Amino acid sequence: MIEFGLFALIKIAVSVLFVVVLSIIAERAGPRVAGIISGYPMGAAITLFFIGVEIGPGFAARSAVFTAAGLAATVAFVAGYLVGLGWARNRSHAGAICISVSTALAAYAAASWLLTLLPIGAGGAALIAATSIALAVWAFRAIADVPIVDRNRLRFRVTLIRAAFAALVILTITTIAKVVGTRWAGLFSAFPSTVLPLLVIIHFTYHPDHVRTIIKNVPRGLQSLLVYVLIVAATYDTLGVAWGTVLGYAAATVYLLALEYSRHLKWQGRSKV
């Protein structure tokens, strides 16, 4: 019992520290970067790591396959939030947030349920995730990147609330993983535990256009998360949790930096024309 309590505290501490640091970086850099970083391996990575440590690398590796497929549900979540923003136009602030969160969660639940009906292997999971991410990047391309001009300094307490929510989700998933099995553990790991509170906080603090900017850029970040979970699925059972995590983060980071560099070169080429 003492060991379980100590492990739970370690999970919470790691989750809070991870989310707080990346939240500060993202929110200071603006909504576009916040969207990209929200898709970077955070909640899902921490969840799979602790599943690997507690239950076993093989279990976590098999769960990671379903986490990859579950990224399609994450895409459905941000698309649902975007739809909710449209439906909530001219509503009160609180009403607009409630409608947007409701449509996002409904879209996530529907997509997750559909994924449980499919026979999913590593190749199929990668195809499902990559296709959904590519479609989202294409569908969101017309959304303008709106920077925050009059920045309201988000209180540290608000960031902690966001981190606490993420920690609660991660703690819950890792606790029930053995009971629900690899499929549901993987799908639950894909739940946008850091994206949801970020969207709500920005929606509450700033303008819906800033929320749309974040949503537009989440799929770009999810590409790095897809790279991460595929590395985890391939390496946890053979190299172990520690090395699989290191390789996953290295590959995800290099991929995201290369993606941003190619975007920079593309914009440079356009500006010269």
Side-chain angles (χ1 to χ4, degrees), residues 265-273:
L265 290 179
K266 184 179 177 181
W267 279 105
Q268 270 192 334
R270 285 183 180 178
S271 64
K272 291 178 181 178
V273 175

Side-chain angles (χ1 to χ4, degrees), residues 8-32:
L9 287 175
I10 293 172
K11 291 179 194 176
I12 293 170
V14 171
S15 304
V16 170
L17 178 63
F18 210 100
V19 174
V20 166
V21 170
L22 287 177
S23 294
I24 291 172
I25 293 171
E27 284 153 9
R28 286 185 178 180
R32 191 187 74 82

Side-chain angles (χ1 to χ4, degrees), residues 32-246:
R32 191 187 74 82
V33 175
I36 293 171
I37 291 183
S38 292
Y40 185 74
M42 282 195 282
I46 297 170
T47 302
L48 290 172
F49 174 83
F50 281 113
I51 287 175
V53 170
E54 286 187 273
I55 302 176
F59 188 99
R62 291 189 294 275
S63 296
V65 171
F66 296 103
T67 301
L71 296 184
T74 303
V75 170
F77 175 90
V78 293
Y81 204 105
L82 192 62
V83 170
L85 285 174
W87 288 355
R89 200 183 304 273
N90 301 323
R91 296 291 186 108
S92 67
H93 213 55
I97 291 174
C98 287
I99 291 171
S100 300
V101 170
S102 297
T103 53
L105 291 175
Y108 178 84
S112 296
W113 176 74
L114 286 173
L115 288 170
T116 64
L117 304 178
L118 301 175
I120 297 174
L127 181 62
I128 290 169
T131 301
S132 64
I133 290 171
L135 286 173
V137 170
W138 178 82
F140 299 164
R141 70 192 187 285
I143 298 174
D145 285 321
V146 180
I148 295 174
V149 179
D150 297 321
R151 185 178 298 277
N152 299 322
R153 201 67 173 207
L154 293 181
R155 295 179 181 177
F156 189 67
R157 183 176 62 182
V158 175
T159 303
L160 276 181
I161 291 172
R162 179 188 172 195
F165 176 83
L168 177 62
V169 172
I170 290 166
L171 187 62
T172 302
I173 295 169
T174 53
T175 301
I176 67 172
K178 197 170 185 177
V179 177
V180 299
T182 54
R183 179 181 290 265
W184 277 110
L187 291 176
F188 286 155
S189 296
F191 182 80
S193 57
T194 57
V195 176
L196 172 56
L198 175 64
L199 292 177
V200 171
I201 290 168
I202 297 300
H203 198 169
F204 181 80
T205 311
Y206 298 107
H207 192 274
D209 284 343
H210 298 128
V211 180
R212 291 185 179 91
T213 300
I214 291 175
I215 289 173
K216 173 186 178 180
N217 290 284
V218 166
R220 294 179 65 84
L222 287 179
Q223 294 177 59
S224 67
L225 179 52
L226 175 58
V227 170
Y228 179 89
V229 294
L230 290 177
I231 293 292
V232 164
T235 61
Y236 262 26
D237 208 16
T238 53
L239 299 180
V241 173
W243 277 113
T245 299
V246 170

